[in-house]
Amino acid sequence: MENLFGKTLQELTEMLVAWGMPKFRGKQLADWMYKKSITDFNAMQNLPKDMREKLAASCVIDRASRVDQLDSVDGKTSKFLLNFADGVGVETVLMRQPYGNSICVSSQAGCNMGCAFCASTLHGMVRNLTAGEMLAQTYYINDLLSQTGEKVDTIVIMGSGEPLTNYDNVLKYIRLLHEDYGLGMSYRSITLSTSGIVPNIYRLAAEEIPVNLSISLHAPEDALRSELMPINRKYPLSEVVKAGRDYGDTTHRRVTYEYILIDGVNDNMKQAKELVGLLKGQLASVNLIPINPVAERGWNRPSPARINAFEQYLDQHHITVTVRREMGNDIQAACGQLRNRHLTGEG
């Protein structure tokens, strides 16, 4: 049975035309799946009965099923463990922000980047997600929000996995989000986060779609960054920052550099000074992220005073800086933690 969820209008139309159906049926089918969020072919009443029967006999609209859900005490963050048809599970997070509902989507089941501070990589990578599986995460939460008249307003592709090593599927997902037969989201409402896959940063810049780019930096010099992020040995800091500069110049979108603050590791004033030198003059901002402690990793969050001192140094030296609001600490909202709990039998 062929899963239709995640197919573009062109792909749906080509399939139906090959069946001897008129082209306009593709748009009708896309509207049912993506506009109306219908997964039962029999409910698609403007499609002829014989077409519905053929679709039901040979195709499915598989999305995602919920395995677990954790809700923060303040009601602002919900974390979902969602399974696909093959039993593979991924995490998706809903964050109710002052500016609207934001979701964090996974692009891979697990991750093989090996970052020292991250729970996603503890069990390695199972596989890439398809565009349809990323879309299914989005629709699961969008359908949930629609029950109270809400919707997904912004998306960050910042969950488990490295999006730029799953480039084609991620790009297809982004384009599907934007299509008017789907959610019709502005590209500017979508942020892609990468650990710094340099060739594909340039490739993304050339796509001419103004999505926001977020680059995980986490250290201002190569030795420490390689210790925290092994990918730095392949794509060193100077190349990553050069690619980020090119992305900002090409797209005219401000690049965000993510910097996880780890107590006693990368949070001193010397490192703040090095970070200023690295980013000075670039169309960029820094998002400081006090680490969500991961028991398996042994990292700790800096004191509020150290966080504030680091932030103030960047601000005083004309680097646009924010400190990420803490959301979901009580439900282990860091990537991979809920999935790992189930994989180890603790869920």
Side-chain angles (χ1 to χ4, degrees):
M1 300 284 275
E2 186 171 10
N3 185 15
L4 300 185
F5 200 76
K7 288 188 178 293
T8 64
L9 173 58
Q10 180 179 345
E11 290 170 331
L12 293 171
T13 301
E14 287 174 354
M15 180 190 79
L16 295 177
V17 167
W19 288 1
M21 307 283 181
K23 286 178 66 174
F24 73 88
R25 295 297 186 194
K27 180 66 161 59
Q28 290 178 319
L29 179 55
D31 283 347
W32 282 111
M33 277 202 307
Y34 299 132
K35 281 280 190 191
K36 298 172 184 172
S37 203
I38 298 297
T39 59
D40 179 3
F41 295 118
N42 288 323
M44 301 177 181
Q45 292 303 312
N46 63 348
L47 302 183
K49 185 179 179 184
D50 63 334
M51 179 180 169
R52 283 182 274 143
E53 289 174 347
K54 185 163 185 175
L55 284 166
S58 57
C59 302
V60 292
I61 301 174
D62 267 339
R63 301 209 313 191
S65 59
R66 188 186 70 184
V67 176
D68 201 355
Q69 177 178 345
L70 297 175
D71 300 300
S72 61
V73 172
D74 63 11
K76 294 180 179 178
T77 307
S78 297
K79 185 169 196 174
F80 304 89
L81 180 62
L82 303 177
N83 265 19
F84 301 116
D86 64 354
V88 167
V90 298
E91 297 172 1
T92 312
V93 180
L94 165 63
M95 297 159 285
R96 298 168 179 87
Q97 307 274 19
Y99 52 80
N101 296 305
S102 181
I103 65 169
C104 183
V105 171
S106 293
S107 58
Q108 296 173 325
C111 185
N112 62 3
M113 289 295 103
C115 296
F117 46 80
C118 183
S120 294
T121 195
L122 287 170
H123 293 278
M125 190 183 84
V126 178
R127 63 173 175 83
N128 284 328
L129 299 186
T130 66
E133 289 168 335
M134 287 176 263
L135 200 64
Q137 296 172 64
T138 309
Y139 270 78
Y140 181 88
I141 296 181
N142 201 63
D143 286 354
L144 198 66
L145 290 169
S146 71
Q147 297 171 16
T148 54
E150 300 174 89
K151 63 181 177 63
V152 171
D153 297 297
T154 58
I155 292 173
V156 291
I157 309 171
M158 201 179 286
S160 295
E162 167 50 66
L164 291 187
T165 60
N166 187 17
Y167 188 93
D168 291 337
N169 284 317
V170 168
L171 189 67
K172 184 179 180 183
Y173 164 61
I174 290 170
R175 293 192 186 280
L176 278 166
L177 289 172
H178 181 69
E179 294 290 357
D180 60 4
Y181 57 81
L183 296 177
M185 295 192 71
S186 164
Y187 286 129
R188 290 176 170 82
S189 298
I190 303 166
T191 298
L192 182 149
S193 176
T194 178
S195 60
I197 310 301
V198 168
N200 284 349
I201 293 175
Y202 287 109
R203 189 177 171 191
L204 185 64
E207 300 285 353
E208 298 185 343
I209 54 174
V211 297
N212 303 299
L213 181 67
S214 177
I215 299 176
S216 296
L217 215 56
H218 308 322
E221 47 86 14
D222 279 315
L224 179 58
R225 190 169 190 264
S226 293
E227 182 183 331
L228 296 175
M229 303 177 68
I231 192 64
N232 191 71
R233 298 182 190 119
K234 185 171 185 178
Y235 303 117
L237 202 53
S238 60
E239 293 182 20
V240 172
V241 172
K242 183 181 177 185
R245 186 184 299 272
D246 175 82
Y247 190 88
D249 291 344
T250 301
T251 63
H252 308 294
R253 304 293 293 163
R254 184 181 295 275
V255 173
T256 298
Y257 288 95
E258 307 280 350
Y259 193 101
I260 286 181
L261 285 170
I262 308 170
D263 186 44
V265 175
N266 65 351
D267 63 340
N268 65 42
M269 287 302 98
K270 178 178 179 291
Q271 290 159 330
K273 182 178 180 180
E274 291 171 338
L275 187 58
V276 167
L278 195 64
L279 301 181
K280 203 168 183 67
Q282 186 173 155
L283 181 62
S285 61
V286 173
N287 187 14
L288 298 176
I289 309 167
I291 191 170
N292 265 327
V294 177
E296 298 91 337
R297 295 302 192 187
W299 302 111
N300 294 312
R301 181 187 298 262
S303 68
R306 286 178 76 86
I307 295 169
N308 185 61
F310 202 99
E311 177 191 13
Q312 290 302 314
Y313 187 91
L314 267 58
D315 183 62
Q316 289 164 7
H317 290 82
H318 313 294
I319 299 292
T320 302
V321 58
T322 56
V323 177
R324 181 177 293 178
R325 292 175 60 237
E326 295 180 18
M327 298 189 74
N329 284 350
D330 58 320
I331 58 168
Q332 296 186 310
C335 296
Q337 289 179 294
L338 178 57
R339 177 173 175 267
N340 287 344
R341 214 176 70 184
H342 280 260
L343 288 173
T344 55
E346 298 174 14

